[in-house]
Amino acid sequence: MRIIVYGSLRRKQGNSHWMTNAQWLGDCQLGGYEMYDLGHYPAVVVGEGEILCEVYRISSSILTELDALKRDGHEYKRELINTPLGSAWIYLYQHSVTGLPRIDDGDWLTREQ
């Protein structure tokens, strides 16, 4: 199975250690999504923009760990979508993004530039 990561789980980010045993398949841009800054990590919702993300092949045990990480605060839900690298799971933010700073280029790594 595959997973899409777009924020703190990306390479060289604070939570990238969760992806240590995953196989990186490549980077891609996904249309139809918008990214917002929650402070230490991003929120992605369905929208008009594009996001830059990484796609990994993962085991079911990694998916279970990521589910626990992402659902701890009940902020995200996991959905299966199509990507240029095959179908993959993505975590989408479940709360309002009203008033949050939008990351217009959809790239978490360039948010402060």
Side-chain angles (χ1 to χ4, degrees):
M1 73 189 72
R2 295 176 197 89
I3 191 82
I4 296 164
V5 299
Y6 48 77
S8 65
L9 292 168
R10 286 176 63 184
R11 288 171 287 169
K12 299 180 183 175
Q13 295 302 297
N15 283 326
S16 63
H17 63 276
W18 291 92
M19 305 308 292
T20 300
N21 294 318
Q23 178 190 6
W24 177 75
L25 299 175
D27 297 333
C28 68
Q29 280 194 281
L30 296 176
Y33 298 94
E34 296 175 356
M35 183 179 289
Y36 292 86
D37 191 341
L38 294 174
H40 295 292
Y41 52 91
V44 166
V45 296
V46 172
E48 303 283 323
E50 290 188 337
I51 61 167
L52 182 64
C53 53
E54 298 171 3
V55 179
Y56 289 85
R57 179 170 286 117
I58 61 170
S59 65
S60 58
S61 63
I62 293 174
L63 185 62
T64 299
E65 291 172 353
L66 293 176
D67 279 349
L69 175 69
K70 293 292 189 175
R71 293 184 180 163
D72 187 41
H74 305 289
E75 292 181 311
Y76 296 89
K77 75 173 182 176
R78 180 167 45 91
E79 290 188 10
L80 188 63
I81 65 168
N82 291 319
T83 78
L85 299 169
S87 62
W89 293 105
I90 186 171
Y91 290 97
L92 297 175
Y93 192 65
Q94 294 302 293
H95 301 290
S96 172
V97 292
T98 302
L100 293 173
R102 182 173 174 196
I103 301 170
D104 291 325
D105 68 358
D107 186 352
W108 178 248
L109 303 185
T110 63
R111 69 191 178 281
E112 295 173 354
Q113 294 178 358

